[in-house]
């Protein structure tokens, strides 16, 4: 996964990892661009009401901030797409700013997946994955839980590489 190399975070990705990351980042972009539905629980998780007990105030706040927030999230997912090899395996090198964009995009993807998979704060991901494998090892849930876990591992490796880079600035 990610490691520090000079003032960059560097990772080498296999073809399957590149494909998964492209798909996940592309799905985040699609969610934010196509039929943005505020009743979708994922949208609610990515853009929570600032005033949950005052829907009118939340709607007004959203009116002024949502466009910029959406653009930022799309740009962050785009940073993943831009840095990945076009086709095939390859190396990704990120400076501090690019690494932070990746972290935010991975976080958004994990929030979206966690919402769809009904992962709660007290969910033991290992147990959840084990149960899904027992029920049906070939299920889409097993794959999705595996991707969710992989994104967590990727995020952690990038977080661990980033502070060392930031100290040099």
């Amino acid at each position: 996964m990610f490691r520090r190399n000079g003032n960059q975070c560097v990772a080498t990705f296999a073809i399957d990892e590149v494909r998964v990351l492209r798909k996940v980042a592309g799905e985040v972009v699609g969610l934010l661009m196509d039929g943005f539905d505020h009743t979708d629980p994922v949208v609610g998780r990515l853009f929570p009401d600032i005033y949950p007990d005052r829907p009118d105030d939340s709607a007004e706040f959203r009116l002024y901030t949502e466009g910029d927030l959406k653009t930022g999230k799309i740009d962050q997912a785009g940073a993943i797409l831009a840095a990945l090899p076009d086709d095939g395996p390859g190396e990704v090198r990120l400076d501090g700013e690019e690494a932070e964009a990746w972290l935010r995009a991975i976080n958004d993807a994990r929030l979206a997946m966690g919402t769809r998979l009904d992962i709660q704060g007290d969910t033991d991901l290992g147990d959840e994955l084990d149960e899904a494998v027992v029920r049906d090892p070939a299920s889409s849930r097993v794959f999705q839980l595996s991707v969710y876990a992989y994104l967590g591992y990727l995020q952690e490796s990038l977080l661990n590489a980033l502070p060392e880079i930031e100290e040099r600035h």
Side-chain angles (χ1 to χ4, degrees):
M1 284 293 117
F2 278 101
R3 65 200 178 284
R4 181 179 52 86
N5 185 346
N7 64 350
Q8 294 183 318
C9 296
V10 180
T12 302
F13 293 104
I15 183 87
D16 290 338
E17 292 172 302
V18 170
R19 287 180 182 145
V20 165
L21 289 170
R22 284 197 171 283
K23 181 168 177 48
V24 167
E27 287 177 357
V28 169
V29 170
L31 172 73
L32 297 173
M33 293 182 68
D34 303 334
F36 194 70
D37 179 6
H38 285 284
T39 63
D40 182 337
V42 171
V43 172
R45 185 73 172 110
L46 293 175
F47 298 92
D49 282 333
I50 191 76
Y51 307 111
D53 298 332
R54 301 186 333 238
D56 291 343
D57 292 338
S58 283
E60 183 177 355
F61 183 80
R62 189 178 303 113
L63 178 69
Y64 295 110
T65 60
E66 187 172 86
D68 288 342
L69 290 173
K70 273 176 59 174
T71 299
K73 289 179 183 298
I74 291 167
D75 289 349
Q76 291 155 12
I80 290 178
L81 295 170
L84 287 170
D86 289 330
D87 47 2
E91 186 176 80
V92 170
R93 293 181 166 273
L94 306 174
D95 64 24
E97 186 176 320
E98 293 165 325
E100 288 178 14
W102 269 59
L103 286 171
R104 288 188 294 270
I106 293 168
N107 189 61
D108 285 345
R110 291 190 82 233
L111 286 171
M113 290 186 77
T115 300
R116 292 275 190 253
L117 293 167
D118 195 31
I119 294 175
Q120 305 297 316
D122 61 348
T123 299
D124 182 313
L125 193 55
D127 288 347
E128 192 73 22
L129 188 53
D130 289 346
E131 289 173 25
V133 168
V134 167
R135 273 186 248 127
D136 181 0
S139 73
S140 63
R141 182 164 179 82
V142 170
F143 177 74
Q144 292 167 350
L145 287 166
S146 298
V147 170
Y148 181 85
Y150 167 75
L151 291 175
Y153 177 66
L154 182 65
Q155 187 177 38
E156 182 178 355
S157 76
L158 187 50
L159 278 168
N160 288 335
L162 188 62
E164 297 174 25
I165 289 173
E166 294 302 315
E167 289 173 8
R168 295 174 165 235
H169 292 299

